Amino acid sequence: MMKGILSKLFGTRHERERKRVQPIVDAINEHYARLQQVSEEELRGQTAKFRGILADRTRVLVERVEALKELKRTTKDAAEREKYDNELGGLDGRGGVEK
């Protein structure tokens, strides 16, 4: 009985979750409708554009990662190598950077 009252007041877990994600679903549907009117060639152009934007925004990070890898590779001191390794792990968020 109490569960029924609470469900009527606050909705079921499913209803609350649906309410939470509905704005995201609506935004996706708007993008989908807009993209239906875009040609394949325009989409390919957008892909190239986005790749360029990502490359520009991540350039500094990629350069830092490469510099740390080189320092780690060339240093003879184990403590220094570990320091560089730890910094590399912090940059990629997984505990290590592999290419």
PDB file of all heavy atoms in Angstrom, residues 33-62:
ATOM      1  N   ALA A  33      16.498  14.509 -37.375  1.00  0.00           N
ATOM      2  CA  ALA A  33      15.637  15.103 -38.389  1.00  0.00           C
ATOM      3  C   ALA A  33      16.416  16.107 -39.249  1.00  0.00           C
ATOM      4  O   ALA A  33      16.266  16.148 -40.476  1.00  0.00           O
ATOM      5  CB  ALA A  33      14.441  15.787 -37.728  1.00  0.00           C
ATOM      6  N   ARG A  34      17.276  16.885 -38.613  1.00  0.00           N
ATOM      7  CA  ARG A  34      18.074  17.870 -39.350  1.00  0.00           C
ATOM      8  C   ARG A  34      19.064  17.175 -40.274  1.00  0.00           C
ATOM      9  O   ARG A  34      19.230  17.564 -41.434  1.00  0.00           O
ATOM     10  CB  ARG A  34      18.811  18.774 -38.365  1.00  0.00           C
ATOM     11  CG  ARG A  34      19.626  19.865 -39.025  1.00  0.00           C
ATOM     12  CD  ARG A  34      20.311  20.756 -37.995  1.00  0.00           C
ATOM     13  NE  ARG A  34      21.077  20.046 -36.986  1.00  0.00           N
ATOM     14  CZ  ARG A  34      22.321  19.576 -37.171  1.00  0.00           C
ATOM     15  NH1 ARG A  34      22.923  19.734 -38.327  1.00  0.00           N
ATOM     16  NH2 ARG A  34      22.942  18.944 -36.200  1.00  0.00           N
ATOM     17  N   LEU A  35      19.688  16.111 -39.797  1.00  0.00           N
ATOM     18  CA  LEU A  35      20.690  15.420 -40.595  1.00  0.00           C
ATOM     19  C   LEU A  35      20.092  14.623 -41.749  1.00  0.00           C
ATOM     20  O   LEU A  35      20.800  14.304 -42.710  1.00  0.00           O
ATOM     21  CB  LEU A  35      21.538  14.511 -39.705  1.00  0.00           C
ATOM     22  CG  LEU A  35      22.475  15.252 -38.753  1.00  0.00           C
ATOM     23  CD1 LEU A  35      23.152  14.273 -37.801  1.00  0.00           C
ATOM     24  CD2 LEU A  35      23.522  16.031 -39.529  1.00  0.00           C
ATOM     25  N   GLN A  36      18.820  14.311 -41.698  1.00  0.00           N
ATOM     26  CA  GLN A  36      18.167  13.604 -42.801  1.00  0.00           C
ATOM     27  C   GLN A  36      18.168  14.456 -44.065  1.00  0.00           C
ATOM     28  O   GLN A  36      18.105  13.935 -45.169  1.00  0.00           O
ATOM     29  CB  GLN A  36      16.732  13.216 -42.426  1.00  0.00           C
ATOM     30  CG  GLN A  36      16.651  12.135 -41.389  1.00  0.00           C
ATOM     31  CD  GLN A  36      17.342  10.866 -41.825  1.00  0.00           C
ATOM     32  OE1 GLN A  36      17.058  10.313 -42.862  1.00  0.00           O
ATOM     33  NE2 GLN A  36      18.288  10.413 -41.024  1.00  0.00           N
ATOM     34  N   GLN A  37      18.267  15.776 -43.894  1.00  0.00           N
ATOM     35  CA  GLN A  37      18.222  16.691 -45.027  1.00  0.00           C
ATOM     36  C   GLN A  37      19.612  17.027 -45.561  1.00  0.00           C
ATOM     37  O   GLN A  37      19.748  17.766 -46.525  1.00  0.00           O
ATOM     38  CB  GLN A  37      17.506  17.982 -44.616  1.00  0.00           C
ATOM     39  CG  GLN A  37      16.103  17.729 -44.119  1.00  0.00           C
ATOM     40  CD  GLN A  37      15.504  18.944 -43.448  1.00  0.00           C
ATOM     41  OE1 GLN A  37      16.034  20.034 -43.554  1.00  0.00           O
ATOM     42  NE2 GLN A  37      14.397  18.755 -42.772  1.00  0.00           N
ATOM     43  N   VAL A  38      20.653  16.482 -44.946  1.00  0.00           N
ATOM     44  CA  VAL A  38      22.023  16.780 -45.333  1.00  0.00           C
ATOM     45  C   VAL A  38      22.530  15.684 -46.266  1.00  0.00           C
ATOM     46  O   VAL A  38      22.319  14.499 -46.023  1.00  0.00           O
ATOM     47  CB  VAL A  38      22.924  16.873 -44.080  1.00  0.00           C
ATOM     48  CG1 VAL A  38      24.371  17.134 -44.458  1.00  0.00           C
ATOM     49  CG2 VAL A  38      22.420  17.963 -43.145  1.00  0.00           C
ATOM     50  N   SER A  39      23.220  16.080 -47.333  1.00  0.00           N
ATOM     51  CA  SER A  39      23.732  15.102 -48.293  1.00  0.00           C
ATOM     52  C   SER A  39      24.936  14.360 -47.720  1.00  0.00           C
ATOM     53  O   SER A  39      25.584  14.826 -46.781  1.00  0.00           O
ATOM     54  CB  SER A  39      24.143  15.803 -49.589  1.00  0.00           C
ATOM     55  OG  SER A  39      25.328  16.557 -49.375  1.00  0.00           O
ATOM     56  N   GLU A  40      25.227  13.217 -48.338  1.00  0.00           N
ATOM     57  CA  GLU A  40      26.386  12.416 -47.924  1.00  0.00           C
ATOM     58  C   GLU A  40      27.672  13.237 -48.052  1.00  0.00           C
ATOM     59  O   GLU A  40      28.560  13.161 -47.212  1.00  0.00           O
ATOM     60  CB  GLU A  40      26.500  11.155 -48.779  1.00  0.00           C
ATOM     61  CG  GLU A  40      25.478  10.093 -48.456  1.00  0.00           C
ATOM     62  CD  GLU A  40      25.716   9.473 -47.086  1.00  0.00           C
ATOM     63  OE1 GLU A  40      26.874   9.203 -46.732  1.00  0.00           O
ATOM     64  OE2 GLU A  40      24.723   9.251 -46.381  1.00  0.00           O
ATOM     65  N   GLU A  41      27.783  14.015 -49.115  1.00  0.00           N
ATOM     66  CA  GLU A  41      28.984  14.823 -49.343  1.00  0.00           C
ATOM     67  C   GLU A  41      29.151  15.871 -48.244  1.00  0.00           C
ATOM     68  O   GLU A  41      30.254  16.102 -47.763  1.00  0.00           O
ATOM     69  CB  GLU A  41      28.905  15.495 -50.719  1.00  0.00           C
ATOM     70  CG  GLU A  41      30.215  16.018 -51.207  1.00  0.00           C
ATOM     71  CD  GLU A  41      31.300  14.946 -51.289  1.00  0.00           C
ATOM     72  OE1 GLU A  41      31.008  13.803 -51.698  1.00  0.00           O
ATOM     73  OE2 GLU A  41      32.440  15.262 -50.928  1.00  0.00           O
ATOM     74  N   GLU A  42      28.047  16.481 -47.824  1.00  0.00           N
ATOM     75  CA  GLU A  42      28.118  17.464 -46.733  1.00  0.00           C
ATOM     76  C   GLU A  42      28.531  16.792 -45.423  1.00  0.00           C
ATOM     77  O   GLU A  42      29.314  17.353 -44.651  1.00  0.00           O
ATOM     78  CB  GLU A  42      26.775  18.172 -46.556  1.00  0.00           C
ATOM     79  CG  GLU A  42      26.442  19.139 -47.670  1.00  0.00           C
ATOM     80  CD  GLU A  42      25.044  19.706 -47.526  1.00  0.00           C
ATOM     81  OE1 GLU A  42      24.080  18.909 -47.551  1.00  0.00           O
ATOM     82  OE2 GLU A  42      24.930  20.941 -47.391  1.00  0.00           O
ATOM     83  N   LEU A  43      28.021  15.599 -45.176  1.00  0.00           N
ATOM     84  CA  LEU A  43      28.396  14.862 -43.971  1.00  0.00           C
ATOM     85  C   LEU A  43      29.885  14.518 -43.981  1.00  0.00           C
ATOM     86  O   LEU A  43      30.565  14.635 -42.961  1.00  0.00           O
ATOM     87  CB  LEU A  43      27.573  13.584 -43.828  1.00  0.00           C
ATOM     88  CG  LEU A  43      26.119  13.774 -43.411  1.00  0.00           C
ATOM     89  CD1 LEU A  43      25.385  12.441 -43.436  1.00  0.00           C
ATOM     90  CD2 LEU A  43      26.018  14.418 -42.050  1.00  0.00           C
ATOM     91  N   ARG A  44      30.398  14.115 -45.137  1.00  0.00           N
ATOM     92  CA  ARG A  44      31.830  13.826 -45.240  1.00  0.00           C
ATOM     93  C   ARG A  44      32.648  15.084 -44.947  1.00  0.00           C
ATOM     94  O   ARG A  44      33.679  15.026 -44.286  1.00  0.00           O
ATOM     95  CB  ARG A  44      32.157  13.284 -46.623  1.00  0.00           C
ATOM     96  CG  ARG A  44      31.745  11.856 -46.807  1.00  0.00           C
ATOM     97  CD  ARG A  44      32.281  11.271 -48.114  1.00  0.00           C
ATOM     98  NE  ARG A  44      31.699   9.977 -48.330  1.00  0.00           N
ATOM     99  CZ  ARG A  44      30.644   9.741 -49.104  1.00  0.00           C
ATOM    100  NH1 ARG A  44      30.075  10.727 -49.758  1.00  0.00           N
ATOM    101  NH2 ARG A  44      30.179   8.521 -49.225  1.00  0.00           N
ATOM    102  N   GLY A  45      32.182  16.214 -45.444  1.00  0.00           N
ATOM    103  CA  GLY A  45      32.861  17.482 -45.174  1.00  0.00           C
ATOM    104  C   GLY A  45      32.843  17.821 -43.691  1.00  0.00           C
ATOM    105  O   GLY A  45      33.839  18.310 -43.148  1.00  0.00           O
ATOM    106  N   GLN A  46      31.723  17.565 -43.038  1.00  0.00           N
ATOM    107  CA  GLN A  46      31.615  17.819 -41.605  1.00  0.00           C
ATOM    108  C   GLN A  46      32.564  16.914 -40.820  1.00  0.00           C
ATOM    109  O   GLN A  46      33.166  17.337 -39.835  1.00  0.00           O
ATOM    110  CB  GLN A  46      30.175  17.614 -41.119  1.00  0.00           C
ATOM    111  CG  GLN A  46      29.216  18.680 -41.543  1.00  0.00           C
ATOM    112  CD  GLN A  46      29.545  20.017 -40.908  1.00  0.00           C
ATOM    113  OE1 GLN A  46      29.885  20.090 -39.741  1.00  0.00           O
ATOM    114  NE2 GLN A  46      29.461  21.074 -41.682  1.00  0.00           N
ATOM    115  N   THR A  47      32.699  15.665 -41.261  1.00  0.00           N
ATOM    116  CA  THR A  47      33.605  14.741 -40.591  1.00  0.00           C
ATOM    117  C   THR A  47      35.027  15.268 -40.640  1.00  0.00           C
ATOM    118  O   THR A  47      35.730  15.292 -39.622  1.00  0.00           O
ATOM    119  CB  THR A  47      33.523  13.337 -41.243  1.00  0.00           C
ATOM    120  OG1 THR A  47      32.183  12.862 -41.120  1.00  0.00           O
ATOM    121  CG2 THR A  47      34.477  12.366 -40.585  1.00  0.00           C
ATOM    122  N   ALA A  48      35.457  15.716 -41.804  1.00  0.00           N
ATOM    123  CA  ALA A  48      36.803  16.275 -41.948  1.00  0.00           C
ATOM    124  C   ALA A  48      36.960  17.515 -41.068  1.00  0.00           C
ATOM    125  O   ALA A  48      37.992  17.705 -40.415  1.00  0.00           O
ATOM    126  CB  ALA A  48      37.080  16.610 -43.403  1.00  0.00           C
ATOM    127  N   LYS A  49      35.932  18.340 -41.042  1.00  0.00           N
ATOM    128  CA  LYS A  49      35.966  19.553 -40.217  1.00  0.00           C
ATOM    129  C   LYS A  49      36.114  19.195 -38.740  1.00  0.00           C
ATOM    130  O   LYS A  49      36.948  19.774 -38.025  1.00  0.00           O
ATOM    131  CB  LYS A  49      34.679  20.353 -40.437  1.00  0.00           C
ATOM    132  CG  LYS A  49      34.556  21.585 -39.585  1.00  0.00           C
ATOM    133  CD  LYS A  49      33.210  22.262 -39.833  1.00  0.00           C
ATOM    134  CE  LYS A  49      32.910  23.302 -38.784  1.00  0.00           C
ATOM    135  NZ  LYS A  49      31.569  23.860 -38.945  1.00  0.00           N
ATOM    136  N   PHE A  50      35.326  18.235 -38.255  1.00  0.00           N
ATOM    137  CA  PHE A  50      35.387  17.833 -36.853  1.00  0.00           C
ATOM    138  C   PHE A  50      36.731  17.201 -36.501  1.00  0.00           C
ATOM    139  O   PHE A  50      37.259  17.415 -35.421  1.00  0.00           O
ATOM    140  CB  PHE A  50      34.246  16.884 -36.493  1.00  0.00           C
ATOM    141  CG  PHE A  50      32.891  17.546 -36.489  1.00  0.00           C
ATOM    142  CD1 PHE A  50      31.783  16.884 -36.986  1.00  0.00           C
ATOM    143  CD2 PHE A  50      32.723  18.823 -35.998  1.00  0.00           C
ATOM    144  CE1 PHE A  50      30.540  17.497 -36.992  1.00  0.00           C
ATOM    145  CE2 PHE A  50      31.486  19.441 -36.003  1.00  0.00           C
ATOM    146  CZ  PHE A  50      30.388  18.771 -36.501  1.00  0.00           C
ATOM    147  N   ARG A  51      37.277  16.427 -37.421  1.00  0.00           N
ATOM    148  CA  ARG A  51      38.604  15.843 -37.172  1.00  0.00           C
ATOM    149  C   ARG A  51      39.642  16.941 -37.010  1.00  0.00           C
ATOM    150  O   ARG A  51      40.535  16.844 -36.168  1.00  0.00           O
ATOM    151  CB  ARG A  51      38.988  14.904 -38.301  1.00  0.00           C
ATOM    152  CG  ARG A  51      38.269  13.581 -38.214  1.00  0.00           C
ATOM    153  CD  ARG A  51      38.735  12.624 -39.281  1.00  0.00           C
ATOM    154  NE  ARG A  51      38.050  11.343 -39.111  1.00  0.00           N
ATOM    155  CZ  ARG A  51      37.790  10.511 -40.087  1.00  0.00           C
ATOM    156  NH1 ARG A  51      38.163  10.792 -41.317  1.00  0.00           N
ATOM    157  NH2 ARG A  51      37.170   9.390 -39.849  1.00  0.00           N
ATOM    158  N   GLY A  52      39.536  17.991 -37.834  1.00  0.00           N
ATOM    159  CA  GLY A  52      40.457  19.115 -37.714  1.00  0.00           C
ATOM    160  C   GLY A  52      40.308  19.831 -36.386  1.00  0.00           C
ATOM    161  O   GLY A  52      41.308  20.189 -35.737  1.00  0.00           O
ATOM    162  N   ILE A  53      39.074  20.044 -35.961  1.00  0.00           N
ATOM    163  CA  ILE A  53      38.813  20.702 -34.676  1.00  0.00           C
ATOM    164  C   ILE A  53      39.395  19.870 -33.534  1.00  0.00           C
ATOM    165  O   ILE A  53      40.056  20.404 -32.633  1.00  0.00           O
ATOM    166  CB  ILE A  53      37.301  20.938 -34.475  1.00  0.00           C
ATOM    167  CG1 ILE A  53      36.802  22.007 -35.454  1.00  0.00           C
ATOM    168  CG2 ILE A  53      36.992  21.326 -33.039  1.00  0.00           C
ATOM    169  CD1 ILE A  53      35.288  22.133 -35.516  1.00  0.00           C
ATOM    170  N   LEU A  54      39.155  18.561 -33.566  1.00  0.00           N
ATOM    171  CA  LEU A  54      39.693  17.681 -32.519  1.00  0.00           C
ATOM    172  C   LEU A  54      41.219  17.697 -32.510  1.00  0.00           C
ATOM    173  O   LEU A  54      41.832  17.741 -31.441  1.00  0.00           O
ATOM    174  CB  LEU A  54      39.194  16.249 -32.710  1.00  0.00           C
ATOM    175  CG  LEU A  54      37.758  15.998 -32.280  1.00  0.00           C
ATOM    176  CD1 LEU A  54      37.327  14.599 -32.709  1.00  0.00           C
ATOM    177  CD2 LEU A  54      37.589  16.173 -30.797  1.00  0.00           C
ATOM    178  N   ALA A  55      41.813  17.667 -33.674  1.00  0.00           N
ATOM    179  CA  ALA A  55      43.278  17.695 -33.748  1.00  0.00           C
ATOM    180  C   ALA A  55      43.816  18.991 -33.163  1.00  0.00           C
ATOM    181  O   ALA A  55      44.805  18.983 -32.422  1.00  0.00           O
ATOM    182  CB  ALA A  55      43.732  17.521 -35.199  1.00  0.00           C
ATOM    183  N   ASP A  56      43.162  20.110 -33.479  1.00  0.00           N
ATOM    184  CA  ASP A  56      43.601  21.401 -32.937  1.00  0.00           C
ATOM    185  C   ASP A  56      43.474  21.438 -31.423  1.00  0.00           C
ATOM    186  O   ASP A  56      44.367  21.915 -30.728  1.00  0.00           O
ATOM    187  CB  ASP A  56      42.781  22.547 -33.532  1.00  0.00           C
ATOM    188  CG  ASP A  56      43.136  22.836 -34.982  1.00  0.00           C
ATOM    189  OD1 ASP A  56      44.198  22.366 -35.440  1.00  0.00           O
ATOM    190  OD2 ASP A  56      42.347  23.532 -35.655  1.00  0.00           O
ATOM    191  N   ARG A  57      42.367  20.946 -30.910  1.00  0.00           N
ATOM    192  CA  ARG A  57      42.110  21.022 -29.471  1.00  0.00           C
ATOM    193  C   ARG A  57      42.937  20.033 -28.657  1.00  0.00           C
ATOM    194  O   ARG A  57      43.147  20.246 -27.465  1.00  0.00           O
ATOM    195  CB  ARG A  57      40.626  20.819 -29.192  1.00  0.00           C
ATOM    196  CG  ARG A  57      39.803  21.981 -29.702  1.00  0.00           C
ATOM    197  CD  ARG A  57      38.364  21.851 -29.339  1.00  0.00           C
ATOM    198  NE  ARG A  57      37.617  22.979 -29.849  1.00  0.00           N
ATOM    199  CZ  ARG A  57      36.310  23.115 -29.726  1.00  0.00           C
ATOM    200  NH1 ARG A  57      35.615  22.193 -29.098  1.00  0.00           N
ATOM    201  NH2 ARG A  57      35.706  24.173 -30.225  1.00  0.00           N
ATOM    202  N   THR A  58      43.390  18.965 -29.278  1.00  0.00           N
ATOM    203  CA  THR A  58      44.160  17.970 -28.536  1.00  0.00           C
ATOM    204  C   THR A  58      45.652  18.027 -28.851  1.00  0.00           C
ATOM    205  O   THR A  58      46.423  17.255 -28.291  1.00  0.00           O
ATOM    206  CB  THR A  58      43.643  16.547 -28.825  1.00  0.00           C
ATOM    207  OG1 THR A  58      43.744  16.286 -30.226  1.00  0.00           O
ATOM    208  CG2 THR A  58      42.201  16.371 -28.353  1.00  0.00           C
ATOM    209  N   ARG A  59      46.066  18.930 -29.720  1.00  0.00           N
ATOM    210  CA  ARG A  59      47.464  19.022 -30.154  1.00  0.00           C
ATOM    211  C   ARG A  59      48.420  19.144 -28.976  1.00  0.00           C
ATOM    212  O   ARG A  59      49.407  18.415 -28.887  1.00  0.00           O
ATOM    213  CB  ARG A  59      47.648  20.200 -31.115  1.00  0.00           C
ATOM    214  CG  ARG A  59      49.060  20.376 -31.622  1.00  0.00           C
ATOM    215  CD  ARG A  59      49.197  21.589 -32.543  1.00  0.00           C
ATOM    216  NE  ARG A  59      48.492  22.779 -32.081  1.00  0.00           N
ATOM    217  CZ  ARG A  59      48.934  23.601 -31.122  1.00  0.00           C
ATOM    218  NH1 ARG A  59      50.064  23.355 -30.524  1.00  0.00           N
ATOM    219  NH2 ARG A  59      48.246  24.668 -30.773  1.00  0.00           N
ATOM    220  N   VAL A  60      48.133  20.049 -28.042  1.00  0.00           N
ATOM    221  CA  VAL A  60      49.028  20.271 -26.898  1.00  0.00           C
ATOM    222  C   VAL A  60      49.135  19.001 -26.057  1.00  0.00           C
ATOM    223  O   VAL A  60      50.234  18.616 -25.644  1.00  0.00           O
ATOM    224  CB  VAL A  60      48.541  21.465 -26.049  1.00  0.00           C
ATOM    225  CG1 VAL A  60      49.337  21.585 -24.771  1.00  0.00           C
ATOM    226  CG2 VAL A  60      48.613  22.753 -26.857  1.00  0.00           C
ATOM    227  N   LEU A  61      48.025  18.345 -25.818  1.00  0.00           N
ATOM    228  CA  LEU A  61      48.033  17.116 -25.027  1.00  0.00           C
ATOM    229  C   LEU A  61      48.834  16.020 -25.730  1.00  0.00           C
ATOM    230  O   LEU A  61      49.645  15.333 -25.109  1.00  0.00           O
ATOM    231  CB  LEU A  61      46.608  16.640 -24.762  1.00  0.00           C
ATOM    232  CG  LEU A  61      46.447  15.356 -23.966  1.00  0.00           C
ATOM    233  CD1 LEU A  61      47.063  15.493 -22.578  1.00  0.00           C
ATOM    234  CD2 LEU A  61      44.988  14.967 -23.870  1.00  0.00           C
ATOM    235  N   VAL A  62      48.615  15.857 -27.030  1.00  0.00           N
ATOM    236  CA  VAL A  62      49.339  14.841 -27.793  1.00  0.00           C
ATOM    237  C   VAL A  62      50.837  15.129 -27.763  1.00  0.00           C
ATOM    238  O   VAL A  62      51.649  14.210 -27.574  1.00  0.00           O
ATOM    239  CB  VAL A  62      48.813  14.767 -29.248  1.00  0.00           C
ATOM    240  CG1 VAL A  62      49.716  13.919 -30.131  1.00  0.00           C
ATOM    241  CG2 VAL A  62      47.391  14.227 -29.261  1.00  0.00           C
TER     242      VAL A  62
END
